[in-house]
Amino acid sequence: MDERGERIDGVLAWLDANEDAGVGRLCDWLKIPSISTDPAYAAHCVRAAEWAADQLRSVGFEAELRATGGHPIVMAHSGGEPGYRGPHVLFYGHYDVQPADPLELWESPAFEPVVREAREGEEGGRRVVARGAVDDKGQVSTFLEAMRAWKESSGLTGGGVRWTIMLEGEEESGSKNLEAFVREHQAELKKCDVCLISDTGMLGRDRPAITYGVRGLSYTEVVLHGANQDLHSGLWGGRCPNPITELARVLAQLHDKKRRVTIPGFYDDVRPIKKSERAAWKKLKFNQKTALKAIGLSAAADVGEAGFTALEREWGRPTAELNGITGGYTGAGAKTVIPSRASAKVSFRLVADQNPKKIAKAFFAWCKERTPPGCRWEFIDHGSGPGVTTPVDSETMQCAQRAMKRASGRKPAMIRSGGSIPVAGMLKDRLGLDTIFMGFGLDDDRVHSPNEKFEIDCWRLGARSHALLVDELRSAGGL
Ligand code: BES
Ligand code: MN
Ligand code: MN
């Protein structure tokens, strides 16, 4: 065998031999409750960032925490082996997690990770159960372990590839300080040629995939104010507007009979799904019926914008969703009240080339035109980011495809995702960087939900894929 072959075999053998230790390290990280949205957990966020920086230092990277005004960002570098002429890769991940609520639905505490076999009735195999197991600490740890394997078995930091590593602590709470951070560090980030993110999913077990596009997001809240006080619904019902009823009447107009969004101009900038993409997605043989069944729905629930399949609707079409609605009395028993206000969280998933700010503005204007008599609106913009799609034929994309194929024995499917990862749009718009999403999650991982898990087979595939990507990058880089 040649030197290259021996080297990568050594790296993969190291991963095999040290798998339990690697999962153990992940569990140490998962014990830190780095919930970014709740200020009470700020010190834990710093601890989780420090944990990651220490890991990176221990395998040769220069790593530090950078202040953002919110939770710190971990930045790390390695200059690469002399003679490496391949791409300088920016690896992005996030160390923050979603809140664990509702706590009572967890089979074991969210921040006491458990490694266990599948139970009767559960698909898949051995798994880590904890908040952050797959989103995103578990996926980042597949990268960290690949870096460790290369260092331990070859002595090369980052396997000799030129890396910049950026781990964010506010992804799950809207990446509020990221835009400014990217702007202030653009000289540093501009040195990178491409971004790599492991924070997405596969098509299924044994169906590895690379994601070449994520949707954007515009998140808003609207409050409809009526009287200056709550009212007795016997005395005032029928005499003045009820903000809940009026808000519901307005929001019910958000979709037409074909379930298209009715805001004027909403679809103006939408980049249509290419014919070739539609054909390619059909070939993936995605089974919507099975997917619906897994979440307790029948085939009748296959609803959405008319004229598009489920995959097309998720990957290539924009949507408007109500994420929360409040008003009036929601406690136990009955209370006859007309509330002074009602509110709704309304978000829009966007595709290229929609402008998230423009969409929020258009929605607010649409509400205004429908202001119920005697009522008043309050509009809140909770932040946004554009969608992105990545060219599928770049050199680095080909490296990633080959790496995943070698790691799994199967050619990865090229997919998109309906989810959003704000950094990708910022890197594209500000620095022109494309992002390759090499993720290892499954549809039933319970992301953001109680009993989040990451299956060890997926974790192993992630670690091997990242290790093999290094081998591919080295070879592309003339080493
Ligand atoms: N990792 C997810 C997004 C994701 C999950 C993409 C699965 C593809 C497949 C990310 O952490 C996330 O939850 N993003 C939020 C963004 C929001 C908080 C700005 C989302 O998509 O809702
Ligand atoms: Mn994530
Ligand atoms: Mn998430």
Side-chain angles (χ1 to χ4, degrees), residues 14 18-27 51 141 145 148 459:
W14 190 95
N18 293 277
E19 181 165 299
D20 289 348
V23 174
R25 279 185 281 273
L26 167 59
C27 288
W51 186 94
S141 102
E145 288 302 313
R148 186 169 293 283
W459 184 87

Side-chain angles (χ1 to χ4, degrees), residues 56-257:
L56 287 162
R57 281 183 208 117
S58 74
V59 294
F61 288 87
E62 277 178 41
E64 60 185 19
L65 268 53
R66 304 258 177 95
T68 66
H71 305 306
I73 284 179
V74 180
M75 286 293 276
H77 294 277
S78 88
E81 198 177 335
Y84 174 73
R85 293 190 311 275
H88 180 165
V89 184
L90 172 66
F91 179 87
Y92 164 94
H94 63 92
Y95 67 78
D96 66 319
V97 300
Q98 287 272 326
D101 310 69
L103 300 181
E104 66 279 9
L105 295 183
W106 284 82
E107 60 182 29
S108 49
F111 296 105
E112 293 172 28
V114 170
V115 182
R116 65 162 179 82
E117 302 299 328
R119 298 221 178 89
E120 186 133 339
E122 279 178 341
E123 272 189 79
R126 205 170 163 73
R127 70 230 15 240
V128 189
V129 181
R131 169 60 80 233
V134 64
D135 186 9
D136 184 25
K137 286 173 178 163
Q139 299 218 49
V140 172
S141 102
T142 69
F143 172 79
L144 296 176
E145 288 302 313
M147 295 299 109
R148 186 169 293 283
W150 268 95
K151 180 71 177 176
E152 295 285 340
S153 63
S154 75
L156 292 165
T157 293
V161 169
R162 198 172 309 124
W163 294 103
T164 294
I165 298 169
M166 174 162 90
L167 304 179
E168 193 196 352
E170 301 184 316
E171 198 274 348
E172 298 291 12
S173 51
S175 296
K176 290 189 192 80
N177 294 292
L178 190 61
E179 185 108 56
F181 186 88
V182 168
R183 194 179 339 110
E184 281 156 27
H185 295 78
Q186 57 176 310
E188 184 177 353
L189 294 168
K190 245 196 178 124
K191 293 186 185 145
C192 304
D193 298 302
V194 65
C195 176
L196 174 71
I197 298 183
S198 190
D199 193 23
T200 51
M202 305 189 284
L203 263 186
R205 288 178 190 82
D206 303 316
R207 296 197 74 187
I210 292 175
T211 300
Y212 67 92
V214 294
R215 285 195 291 185
L217 183 69
S218 179
Y219 202 111
T220 73
E221 184 170 347
V222 295
V223 188
L224 188 64
H225 295 271
N228 63 4
Q229 56 201 270
D230 283 4
L231 303 165
H232 189 295
S233 69
L235 304 181
W236 285 97
R239 276 172 71 192
C240 72
N242 178 329
I244 304 179
T245 315
E246 299 299 332
L247 179 65
R249 282 161 62 101
V250 172
L251 294 178
Q253 300 168 42
L254 206 45
H255 298 90
D256 67 13
K257 281 204 181 72

